[in-house]
């Protein structure tokens, strides 16, 4: 291990989790490609697992977290209606916002782009997190805990292959990215980290509530990998 970085054993493994996320828009995906190339030059090619731009997403709230071992299907079935109603109400009242990412950080588990947490746009994310935390009973293993708004760019495949100054060099990379948050999805992850998932619902921010919202199925029929 180098610099306290940890191997990610979940990478590309079958998974079961439920959560709320926002997929990176096409313009952000394009902007991430040169950034990921820069990150790759700092480490040995075998040291990192880069998340493809087409799979980049903002994780908003883990309803049934992937890393905890419990009956997630039963937990989701018991709480699907409450999550659906909360998400629809929040999306209808929340206009689209643009998050600004201006800093990179190498945490013990991942390389992340961190949003300006003092902005009104970040507060929109925090407001949904608070609503979901208020209505959901803690799952076995405890409720998720968040301390920032971020997008995960890479995880570690071989921590020993990372240079001793990896974290400092990552933090020194210039960053100025915009993430237009105008849609959120409710997903059932089937391959980590969101390399394959079922989209249970997609909601546009600021759109009026439908007169008779369709129910969300607790058991999606098939996986739909991100294109």
């Amino acid at each position: 291990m180098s610099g306290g970085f940890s191997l990610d054993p979940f990478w590309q493994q079958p998974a079961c989790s439920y959560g709320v996320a926002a997929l990176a828009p096409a313009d952000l995906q394009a902007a991430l490609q040169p950034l990921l190339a820069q990150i790759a030059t700092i480490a040995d090619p075998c040291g990192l697992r880069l998340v493809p731009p087409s799979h980049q997403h903002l994780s908003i709230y883990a309803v049934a977290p992937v890393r905890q071992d419990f009956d997630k299907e039963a937990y989701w079935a018991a709480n699907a209606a409450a999550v659906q109603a909360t998400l629809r109400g929040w999306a209808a009242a929340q206009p689209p916002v643009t998050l600004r990412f201006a800093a990179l950080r190498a945490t013990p588990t991942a390389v992340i782009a961190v949003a300006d947490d003092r902005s009104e746009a970040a507060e929109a994310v925090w407001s949904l997190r608070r609503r979901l935390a208020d209505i959901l009973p803690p799952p076995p293993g405890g409720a998720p805990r968040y301390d920032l708004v971020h997008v995960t760019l890479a995880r570690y495949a071989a921590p020993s292959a990372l240079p001793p100054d990896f974290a400092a060099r990552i933090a020194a990379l210039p960053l100025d990215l915009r993430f237009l948050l105008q849609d959120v999805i409710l997903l059932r992850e089937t391959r980590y980290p969101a390399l394959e998932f079922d989209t249970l619902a997609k909601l546009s921010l600021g759109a009026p509530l439908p007169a008779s919202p369709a129910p969300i199925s607790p058991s999606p029929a098939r996986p739909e990998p991100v294109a």
Side-chain angles (χ1 to χ4, degrees), residues 77-162:
N79 295 286
V83 172
Q84 175 185 358
T86 299
L87 187 56
R88 284 190 167 123
W90 173 85
Q94 175 63 56
V97 294
T98 298
L99 293 158
R100 178 174 181 258
F101 292 82
L104 289 174
R105 186 182 304 175
T107 75
T109 59
V111 177
I112 62 174
V114 182
D116 178 359
D117 204 36
R118 298 164 296 177
S119 67
E120 291 184 7
E123 173 55 28
V125 175
W126 284 109
S127 69
L128 178 54
R129 286 174 172 173
R130 289 192 295 267
R131 289 193 190 192
L132 291 170
D134 285 345
I135 61 101
L136 283 169
R145 299 176 64 182
Y146 297 99
D147 57 1
L148 43 77
V149 177
H150 73 282
V151 171
T152 298
L153 304 178
R155 297 187 181 274
Y156 307 125
S160 61
L162 302 178

Side-chain angles (χ1 to χ4, degrees), residues 48-115:
L48 292 176
R49 289 167 170 158
L50 299 173
V51 179
S54 59
H55 295 264
Q56 296 286 351
H57 62 280
L58 175 69
S59 296
I60 297 175
Y61 197 87
V63 176
V66 67
R67 296 177 184 271
Q68 294 171 206
D69 185 15
F70 62 95
D71 189 342
K72 296 169 189 176
E73 302 290 10
Y75 181 84
W76 169 248
N79 295 286
V83 172
Q84 175 185 358
T86 299
L87 187 56
R88 284 190 167 123
W90 173 85
Q94 175 63 56
V97 294
T98 298
L99 293 158
R100 178 174 181 258
F101 292 82
L104 289 174
R105 186 182 304 175
T107 75
T109 59
V111 177
I112 62 174
V114 182

